[in-house]
Amino acid sequence: MASNRKAAIGFIFVTLLIDITGLGLIIPVMPKLLEQLMGVADVSKASQYGGWLSFAYAFMQFIFAPVLGNLSDKYGRRPVLLFSLFGFGVDYLFLSFAPTVGWLFIGRIIAGITGASFTTASAYIADISTPENRAQNFGMIGAAFGLGFILGPLLGGLLGELGPRVPFMVAAGLALSNWLYGYFVLPESLAVEHRRPFEWRRANPMGALLQLKKYPAVGGLVASLVLVYLAAHSVQSNWSFFNIEKFKWSPKMIGISLGAIGLLVGAVQGGLVRFVNPKLGNERSVYVGLGLYSLGLLLFSFATQSWMMFVFLIPYCLGGIAGPALQAIISGHVPRNEQGELQGALTSLMSATSIIGPPMMTNLFAYFTKPTAPVYFPGASFLLGAVFMTGSALWAYYALRSEKTTSPAHMVQNPEQEN
């Protein structure tokens, strides 16, 4: 049984790695493809379309992630995960052969609707994990993200030399190959006796979140996770802008720094979490990780030398021990036949922060770097991110402390799998 679980976790890791690599493949060439379809070499205009493409994907995922999460609670994880992988393949094919920008939007909408690989993979991991190893297994998601974030842009840049559509074709091939491999290899993780009926009132962002009110500590912990997602956009949305503005970095230097981030994230969440979490426990891992996140962002905001950004990546990326631990605590409060609903709600919230976070952080950066700014402070977004991370730690502490002062019966630990 243990070997089967390890094999399943290995497949989920490869699935997410291929997904992230596919997403990373298209990053270096999307501006060129947009310029090609628009018929003008205008990076500024291309960036506007790129922003709306990201919005279309995030908005559709916000709406449909709870639907697919609830479907996985009724029909099992396997068919929903395979459906998601197939949808990604179709999306990349649309992007590969799109004759107009409108076709790019169709592809991104399809990907947003079917993009439940993280939702269902997280529910799958919760199904096959024990309370002791749940955080370590969730850490594999972050490891897949980190490694894919290194491989994807690197391969995309190389393949882009052959033409702006080539990386999309390769990404389509990877996604569809993964779908085919999963069809023959991936076992089901949710036994029939643990499934529940599908209900439309629960299969929407608000309905899914309202269901979590049954578990008192979960609401505060989810709010804490939302603050983490928002804070992360201070880096995701501003890293390039900040370092170009403050330190005059070239695209090559930005690429090197992103590779360093991916390497550190993969090492922390794929390796360090497995050693640190059992020693600290989930709750302490959350507090220590969020404290390191806050410290890293605070140091970014006041960095005065280019090399400091690389050094300050160390505490920031070490903060990655918090995410898997926080997700493990939340997952441990919810029974196995509602894990799909839970992960769908969390994915929907993550998509919502992807709609709100980037404009919040980029506009803050723009305000404090324009000529008429009351004070020149390019690191303002990083400072706000540090405030959000600190708030996240306080919110998690309050939620967990409140639970300890009430009945422990609220805690619903998922028992180990018997089958």
Side-chain angles (χ1 to χ4, degrees):
M1 190 65 230
S3 62
N4 289 341
R5 287 180 181 176
K6 288 183 178 178
I9 290 173
F11 175 82
I12 293 298
F13 173 78
V14 172
T15 294
L16 296 178
L17 175 61
I18 290 175
D19 277 0
I20 296 300
T21 301
L23 289 171
L25 275 170
I26 69 176
I27 291 174
V29 293
M30 179 62 86
K32 288 294 182 185
L33 180 59
L34 284 167
E35 287 180 341
Q36 185 183 88
L37 293 176
M38 292 187 303
V40 293
D42 188 340
V43 175
S44 178
K45 190 173 181 180
S47 68
Q48 290 180 316
Y49 277 108
W52 283 112
L53 285 169
S54 297
F55 173 84
Y57 174 81
F59 182 76
M60 298 309 291
Q61 193 170 64
F62 172 73
I63 298 297
F64 284 93
V67 176
L68 295 178
N70 276 268
L71 287 172
S72 78
D73 284 339
K74 175 176 174 60
Y75 296 107
R77 317 301 183 202
R78 183 178 185 274
V80 175
L81 187 56
L82 293 176
F83 174 70
S84 174
L85 293 175
F86 185 78
F88 269 124
V90 172
D91 166 43
Y92 292 135
L93 287 176
F94 266 93
L95 299 179
S96 299
F97 299 103
T100 65
V101 173
W103 284 90
L104 296 183
F105 278 93
I106 294 174
R108 290 281 78 189
I109 288 170
I110 291 173
I113 293 172
T114 63
S117 56
F118 275 87
T119 299
T120 315
S122 298
Y124 196 109
I125 287 173
D127 291 339
I128 64 177
S129 298
T130 65
E132 293 75 23
N133 66 14
R134 187 174 289 120
Q136 296 95 305
N137 290 342
F138 275 125
M140 296 303 293
I141 297 177
F145 180 89
L147 187 55
F149 198 63
I150 297 171
L151 295 175
L154 176 62
L155 293 174
L158 294 173
L159 293 170
E161 296 295 315
L162 303 175
R165 295 178 185 265
V166 173
F168 295 93
M169 297 176 187
V170 173
L174 285 174
L176 293 175
S177 297
N178 199 21
W179 165 73
L180 190 63
Y181 177 65
Y183 181 82
F184 290 105
V185 173
L186 183 66
E188 179 55 64
S189 65
L190 186 65
V192 175
E193 61 267 24
H194 296 305
R195 300 180 188 180
R196 64 174 179 83
F198 179 86
E199 301 175 61
W200 279 109
R201 64 183 177 85
R202 299 170 65 170
N204 62 81
M206 292 307 300
L209 290 172
L210 288 173
Q211 286 298 314
L212 299 181
K213 290 175 65 177
K214 294 185 296 185
Y215 311 103
V218 168
L221 294 173
V222 168
S224 177
L225 196 60
V226 168
L227 286 175
V228 172
Y229 290 152
L230 283 173
H233 281 289
S234 66
V235 175
Q236 294 171 13
S237 302
N238 275 306
W239 184 259
S240 299
F241 296 121
F242 173 85
N243 286 300
I244 291 171
E245 171 69 23
K246 188 79 179 276
F247 303 119
K248 312 305 179 188
W249 279 11
S250 66
K252 179 181 178 181
M253 182 62 77
I254 292 171
I256 291 172
S257 69
L258 291 175
I261 292 173
L263 183 63
L264 287 169
V265 169
V268 169
Q269 299 207 13
L272 190 63
V273 165
R274 295 183 171 273
F275 297 100
V276 171
N277 183 270
K279 295 183 182 299
L280 293 180
N282 285 333
E283 188 172 344
R284 287 183 180 175
S285 294
V286 169
Y287 301 145
V288 172
L290 292 176
L292 287 167
Y293 268 144
S294 299
L295 175 62
L297 288 167
L298 186 64
L299 291 171
F300 287 154
S301 65
F302 293 103
T304 57
Q305 300 292 327
S306 183
W307 59 266
M308 291 180 178
M309 299 304 291
F310 285 90
V311 175
F312 297 160
L313 279 175
I314 296 174
Y316 177 76
C317 291
L318 284 174
I321 65 173
L326 188 55
Q327 195 166 8
I329 295 173
I330 294 171
S331 174
H333 283 74
V334 178
R336 71 178 74 186
N337 67 349
E338 295 181 12
Q339 287 294 327
E341 180 179 49
L342 168 67
Q343 300 303 332
L346 294 181
T347 301
S348 185
L349 281 172
M350 185 168 64
S351 299
T353 63
S354 295
I355 296 170
I356 299 169
M360 177 195 300
M361 296 301 180
T362 53
N363 280 303
L364 187 62
F365 171 84
Y367 178 79
F368 281 100
T369 55
K370 66 183 181 180
T372 57
V375 59
Y376 179 74
F377 186 35
S381 297
F382 294 141
L383 185 59
L384 179 60
V387 172
F388 283 164
M389 287 294 186
T390 303
S392 175
L394 293 174
W395 211 320
Y397 177 80
Y398 175 77
L400 293 171
R401 176 59 63 92
S402 297
E403 181 187 38
K404 288 176 183 178
T405 59
T406 58
S407 170
H410 294 309
M411 184 70 172
V412 182
Q413 286 288 0
N414 293 331
E416 294 189 25
Q417 304 286 342
E418 294 86 18
N419 45 13

